[in-house]
Structures are given as C-alpha cells and as structure tokens.
Amino acid sequence: MPRTCLVVDDSRVVRKVARRILESNGFDVTEAADGQLALDACRQHLPDCVLLDWNMPVMDGITFLQALRKEFGPDNPPVVFCTTENDMDHIEAAISHGAQEYIMKPFDEDILTGKFAQVGLL
C-alpha cells in the first residue's frame, strides 16, 4: 500500500510541484490550502507524513503543527516544513514544536526526496 502525504500550502503551484515529485516517488498525495483544512484532513485520515508551509491564511504552519502534535502525539505523522522562512529562529521553532525536518523554497526533487529519506520516509 503506498504511503500517504498531506501537502499543506496556500500556493496551488507549490502543491502541484510537490504532488508531482511525491507521486513519482510512490506516495498518494492529498492537499490542503491552510492549516485548518489540513487539521480537518488529518482528523478524517491521518497521513503517513505532512509537507508543511509556514505562512498561510486561516491557520499558519506552526499553529497547525502545535495542534497536530497535541492531538496525535509527538512524532506521528512526521512533518517536513517547506518554507521561505530561513532564519534560525523559525527553524528552531519548527523543530522544537515537533517538525522532523526543514527545507527551503524553492525546492527540487533532489532536495525534497533527500529530506524525506533523512526522516525515513523514502
């Protein structure tokens, strides 16, 4: 059975690029345009992993991550942040709130699959 990944980003283009890369690496992909929609999706069917943007309307990435960890535990599902926020404060906040990894936009297939491999998803 293929692994599932929830791609959470307010940019349709980013979701589409991530979907193409992940599907070509054997994932079933679902999408959400903000953290609230993502949390609702996780409550319906918890994915094997989450690729998460930081800056989104309604509920941002870090708020979603806090809610996800509170509801589903500290490690499940693994979360990889994918964002333009590249300062150490953001990276440390993401990791301290339970993200497993952190990648910068723009990303390509090598970067994305490399990080997924590092956290044991590929």
Side-chain angles (χ1 to χ4, degrees), residues 4 6 30-32 36-48 64 68 71-72:
T4 56
L6 175 62
T30 52
E31 299 178 20
Q36 185 58 60
L37 293 170
L39 196 56
D40 295 344
C42 288
R43 288 171 176 152
Q44 287 177 359
H45 178 78
L46 195 63
D48 293 319
F64 163 77
L68 182 76
E71 206 164 314
F72 297 101

Side-chain angles (χ1 to χ4, degrees), residues 67-98:
L68 182 76
R69 291 298 179 233
K70 185 175 177 189
E71 206 164 314
F72 297 101
D75 300 315
N76 189 40
V79 172
V80 177
F81 253 107
C82 177
T83 180
T84 56
E85 300 293 348
N86 65 352
D87 59 275
M88 280 311 293
D89 288 346
H90 278 89
I91 295 168
E92 288 169 0
I95 301 301
S96 72
H97 287 295

Side-chain angles (χ1 to χ4, degrees), residues 44-66:
Q44 287 177 359
H45 178 78
L46 195 63
D48 293 319
C49 60
V50 177
L51 184 65
L52 180 63
D53 185 25
W54 192 293
N55 298 306
M56 296 177 289
V58 186
M59 182 189 289
D60 67 14
I62 202 78
T63 306
F64 163 77
L65 180 60
Q66 290 169 309

